[in-house]
Amino acid sequence: GRADLRHRDRLIIAAMLLITGLFLFLDARPLPILLWDESRNIVNALEMNRNGFSLVTTYRGEPDLWNTKPPLLIWLMVGSVRLFGESDWALRLPSMIATLGTLAMVMVFVRRTTGSIWTAALATALFAGSPGLFGEHGARTADYDALLVFFSTAYLLLLFGALHHRR
């Protein structure tokens, strides 16, 4: 009874994440590297990869004072490049993984809140199919936005859980 429902829910969650992951990671139209934000982040990551790991991002060998955001994304990009080599896909992988994590959090949250796995699957499908997710600063670019959405969503879901926790 109950164990079968949990097993079914886990299978549906895994299937939805697999489908959205394929939708996210495999696209027939590879995007060119976008100017300004994405290209600057890529230059920072490639310089850090070639010059050695650092706490400070660089641009043209000097500390990058134009991009003053915390370097977590750049560090993740460097790790991805060291694992998979220098490619557009490897540089964009941390953002895509952050987006997949956000989709997983939304799916689990909706499942726990509504009690319906089908509502959770629908919410995930609608979120994965939204045009805003795949814009210029979206899920498949080497920008900070996907990582920001991941951490903001995690924080808000934790806050929701803390406020609505039964005592």
Side-chain angles (χ1 to χ4, degrees):
R2 189 133 177 100
D4 290 338
L5 286 176
R6 284 186 181 164
H7 183 68
R8 182 200 67 176
D9 287 359
R10 287 183 185 138
L11 284 176
I12 292 171
I13 288 172
M16 278 303 297
L17 291 178
L18 178 67
I19 291 167
T20 56
L22 289 174
F23 182 66
L24 185 65
F25 291 104
L26 302 177
D27 190 3
R29 308 167 294 126
L31 296 171
I33 293 173
L34 302 172
L35 286 178
W36 310 117
D37 295 341
E38 185 182 30
S39 61
R40 188 83 175 211
N41 292 341
I42 287 173
V43 168
N44 291 152
L46 292 176
E47 280 192 16
M48 189 178 288
N49 183 49
R50 291 180 184 146
N51 299 332
F53 188 76
S54 170
L55 292 176
V56 178
T57 58
T58 60
Y59 186 78
R60 295 184 178 174
E62 300 290 325
D64 189 3
L65 301 177
W66 182 69
N67 184 7
T68 58
K69 295 176 177 135
L72 177 61
L73 176 68
I74 306 300
W75 295 340
L76 294 172
M77 289 167 65
V78 170
S80 178
V81 165
R82 288 186 180 169
L83 283 173
F84 302 109
E86 291 183 5
S87 68
D88 294 352
W89 182 84
L91 289 161
R92 291 174 171 163
L93 183 62
S95 294
M96 291 188 280
I97 290 173
T99 301
L100 195 59
T102 304
L103 289 167
M105 284 189 295
V106 167
M107 187 167 193
V108 170
F109 172 76
V110 173
R111 168 64 180 94
R112 285 184 179 172
T113 305
T114 65
S116 169
I117 190 64
W118 302 111
T119 305
L122 178 63
T124 304
L126 290 174
F127 185 34
S130 69
L133 191 66
F134 293 98
E136 272 190 32
H137 298 282
R140 295 187 54 237
T141 62
D143 285 322
Y144 287 97
D145 299 86
L147 205 56
L148 176 66
V149 168
F150 174 79
F151 284 115
S152 297
T153 303
Y155 167 75
L156 290 172
L157 295 180
L158 286 172
L159 179 64
F160 181 89
L163 293 176
H164 293 280
H165 180 71
R166 293 184 184 167
R167 291 186 174 29

